[in-house]
Amino acid sequence: QVQLVESGGRLVQAGGSLRLSCAASGRTASIYAMGWFRQAPGKEREFVAHIRWSSGNTEYADAVKGRFTISRDNAKNSMYLQMDSLKPEDTAVYYCASATTISTFAALYTQNRAYVYWGQGTQVTVSS
């Protein structure tokens, strides 16, 4: 199994920045990709960004492209989400997740079903 722990969420004003972290432990050698998802009150969980663990290739949701940056530090088994130019609509619980399935179909990793392990989430609140 892989254990994931998110941190870094807090209240921030619109236009501000936050950096979320996700620390992985356990069978980290099985990780092929990791992703960030978010869930706002009353809404379904949605894809934010993912990164291939080995290659570092990334993909972003249109809503965050150009404002958020996903990265990872393989040596520390950690993933990050740098969030800039935050908007009130970015308010949500942010979850990190890890996928062990190997696929060249990049779109797979934008979907919840690709991920086996999930963290507990960290709350991000953006005030207007």
Side-chain angles (χ1 to χ4, degrees):
Q1 287 191 345
V2 175
Q3 293 78 42
L4 302 172
V5 179
E6 304 96 336
S7 62
R10 61 177 177 86
L11 173 65
V12 64
Q13 288 190 334
S17 297
L18 275 179
R19 187 190 193 213
L20 304 183
S21 300
C22 175
S25 60
R27 296 186 62 186
T28 56
S30 66
I31 296 174
Y32 179 72
M34 291 189 71
W36 287 100
F37 288 75
R38 66 187 183 185
Q39 187 167 19
K43 295 186 177 181
E44 293 188 352
R45 189 174 298 184
E46 65 175 4
F47 167 74
V48 175
H50 75 72
I51 187 166
R52 306 292 182 100
W53 205 239
S54 178
S55 68
N57 290 344
T58 61
E59 186 172 353
Y60 297 89
D62 288 343
V64 306
K65 202 171 293 183
R67 300 187 298 121
F68 290 10
T69 303
I70 189 172
S71 62
R72 92 283 192 226
D73 184 331
N74 299 63
K76 295 183 178 179
N77 290 320
S78 293
M79 177 178 66
Y80 308 97
L81 186 68
Q82 177 65 41
M83 305 187 294
D84 299 318
S85 302
L86 282 161
K87 304 175 181 180
E89 52 262 44
D90 294 318
T91 295
V93 177
Y94 283 71
Y95 298 90
C96 70
S98 65
T100 58
T101 300
I102 298 174
S103 175
T104 58
F105 184 50
L108 173 66
Y109 300 102
T110 67
Q111 302 173 33
N112 290 341
R113 64 185 179 92
Y115 297 86
V116 178
Y117 302 106
W118 293 81
Q120 293 300 305
T122 186
Q123 176 70 47
V124 172
T125 303
V126 184
S127 63
S128 57

